[in-house]
Amino acid sequence: MKRAQEAPNAERTAAGRLLPLQLSAAFVVGALAGATALVQPAYAQDAEPIRVGASLPLTGNFSVSGEKHEQGYQLCVDLINQAGGVLGRKVELIISDNRSDTETAINQYERLINVEDADIVFGTFSSKLTFPVSSVVERYGMVHPVPAGGALRIWEQGLKHAFYFQQNAAELVGTGLRGVLRDLVDEAGRPKTAALVHADDFFANGIAAGFLGGKVEEPGKGVIADLAPGYLAELDIEVVMEERWPEEGFSDWLNLANSIKQANPDLVIGLTASAEEAVQLSRALQTLKVNPGVLYLSQGTQAEFLEGMGEASEGVIVHTSWHPAVPFKGELAGEPFSNQDFIAAFEDAYNYTPDEDSAIPFALCQGVEQAIRGTESTDNQKLSEWLHARTPEEPVRTVLGPFSWDERGLPKDRTFLMAQWQDGELRFIYPTNEFEGVAELQFPKPEW
């Protein structure tokens, strides 16, 4: 399925594929500041477009996040084209639906590279799809910017051209909750026991390994990371229950919640594969009146979680890559483009407020566009070298904050943000010393 870039300012249908796009006056003025004559075309009429391909799960288990990733990519490309393109060329976005299937995703990246002649590829959603896709993209020497795929198994393969556009690997996500409990809760009042339940999913398994101090193994390679003693042990929290449910088709949420209730933990950690699973688990806990002092979920930043839980979302803690209150300063089309600019442009285009599933791919697109401008090229070897040369002092600047990467392709010196649902809003609670507008932790969580 090929979706060529539409003309700027085209209207999307109610079904969602074409949208009115209105740039803020400040952005338009800034993007055109260097133009010699405003009447000139935005890009050379005879120049070939820069073809960017991506395979996304627009249907299937990951479709909610996949559709939002498409919106993030499309908005970024539209804004670049409205500001004159890049290197005098427009950007053409080609999106294929992999139906949340690994084999389909592999085949589509092969096609994007070999048949569609994509100059650049953007990554897909989920570690499950990213893991097999990463070796395909690497084989062709293409830069592989990854929006979602944090399992260490991906980043310990020795990839040379992959770059992760989230804060950290899955196995290190638990440092955020560790920080919240260590820094915001008095030692005497901290949870003493925990139940950890999770999907048999790449990302969820990785987060669980970090909390439990497990070993990360790769078939044929043995142990690639030993995470002992684990974040819970570091806080002297005893694990009184651990359970994993199947990756697909699980529906026994009430029995799972009843097992948690019998364990009577102070802290419940629920690592789900989707926002829908987060709602199902939370509803089951609510039904059985399971009331831990802390409920932490790995999914649940999305509006779908609030819609599914309503007032029952109160006090739930979630980690996030992005938050609307964080004043990150990025760049786009060679001009400053902040997190607040992104929110305004997204709301203009899609008529609702973005969440991290749209912000992450937008940030990825920002980073790749900066690499193209920085090298004045779409040569993937040059792009890879430029991205590897970024440092904390000279990073890629995005709506997710600054990025530079280690030799594996994982970001340097970044941690996930911690947020909590309070009064129907997802409020930023940790870290407390980097930005204004940090809300106080609501502890303990209100009872259902």
Side-chain angles (χ1 to χ4, degrees), residues 282 286 295 297 300 302 305-318 420-426 442 445-446 448:
S282 299
Q286 179 188 21
L295 173 58
L297 303 176
Q302 302 89 342
F305 181 78
L306 181 62
E307 292 169 2
M309 294 305 299
E311 294 181 358
S313 63
E314 188 74 9
V316 173
I317 296 174
V318 195
Q420 185 177 47
W421 285 104
Q422 298 178 3
D423 299 323
E425 294 183 11
L426 189 64
Q442 188 180 85
K445 176 190 173 298
W448 304 108

Side-chain angles (χ1 to χ4, degrees), residues 150-423:
L152 271 179
R153 288 180 61 190
I154 297 170
W155 303 102
E156 294 291 346
Q157 296 180 92
L159 302 174
K160 297 180 180 178
H161 308 298
F163 301 88
Y164 191 36
F165 278 83
Q166 287 194 50
Q167 278 82 344
N168 223 324
E171 287 78 359
L172 306 179
V173 167
T175 57
L177 183 62
R178 180 188 63 182
V180 168
L181 297 178
R182 181 191 59 203
D183 298 342
L184 305 184
V185 180
D186 290 338
E187 185 173 358
R190 288 177 195 161
K192 301 297 188 295
T193 59
L196 189 151
V197 297
H198 62 102
D200 190 7
D201 165 83
F202 258 92
F203 198 71
N205 286 335
I207 300 175
F211 276 117
L212 299 173
K215 292 181 172 62
V216 181
E217 299 186 24
E218 177 64 26
K221 295 183 179 180
V223 176
I224 59 176
D226 186 346
L227 305 170
Y231 306 124
L232 293 175
E234 290 177 5
L235 293 169
D236 295 322
I237 297 175
E238 177 188 1
V239 179
V240 294
M241 177 192 170
E242 179 196 355
E243 189 166 329
R244 178 166 50 187
W245 65 82
E247 181 180 16
E248 297 180 2
F250 182 71
S251 60
D252 203 8
W253 298 105
L254 285 176
N255 275 338
L256 177 62
N258 188 57
S259 297
I260 297 172
K261 185 172 184 177
Q262 296 303 314
N264 193 31
D266 304 320
L267 163 66
V268 172
I269 298 173
L271 310 176
T272 66
S274 66
E276 180 182 358
E277 283 193 343
V279 171
Q280 295 294 337
L281 174 60
S282 299
R283 283 178 176 171
L285 295 173
Q286 179 188 21
T287 298
L288 296 182
K289 304 298 182 185
V290 181
N291 285 301
V294 178
L295 173 58
Y296 161 73
L297 303 176
S298 63
Q299 298 272 350
T301 62
Q302 302 89 342
E304 289 79 6
F305 181 78
L306 181 62
E307 292 169 2
M309 294 305 299
E311 294 181 358
S313 63
E314 188 74 9
V316 173
I317 296 174
V318 195
H319 78 264
T320 182
S321 295
W322 175 85
H323 192 277
V326 177
F328 285 132
K329 305 293 186 183
E331 294 179 9
L332 189 68
E335 297 294 329
F337 192 89
S338 70
N339 192 28
Q340 284 62 46
D341 290 328
F342 163 69
I343 295 169
F346 189 95
E347 290 176 344
D348 281 345
Y350 297 101
N351 298 315
Y352 71 94
T353 301
D355 60 29
E356 67 171 346
D357 278 340
S358 298
I360 293 168
F362 187 93
L364 181 154
C365 176
Q366 282 184 290
V368 174
E369 195 243 4
Q370 288 170 43
I372 294 172
R373 289 184 181 275
T375 60
E376 297 184 344
S377 170
T378 58
D379 181 280
N380 277 259
Q381 181 63 39
K382 293 180 180 179
L383 296 176
S384 179
E385 291 173 356
W386 189 90
L387 289 167
H388 274 301
R390 297 310 91 205
T391 65
E393 294 74 30
E394 295 186 5
V396 162
R397 301 187 186 279
T398 78
V399 299
L400 260 62
F403 281 95
S404 58
W405 296 268
D406 65 19
E407 66 281 357
R408 298 171 296 177
L410 289 173
K412 297 178 182 177
D413 303 325
R414 298 298 304 276
T415 58
F416 280 92
L417 307 173
M418 299 300 291
Q420 185 177 47
W421 285 104
Q422 298 178 3
D423 299 323

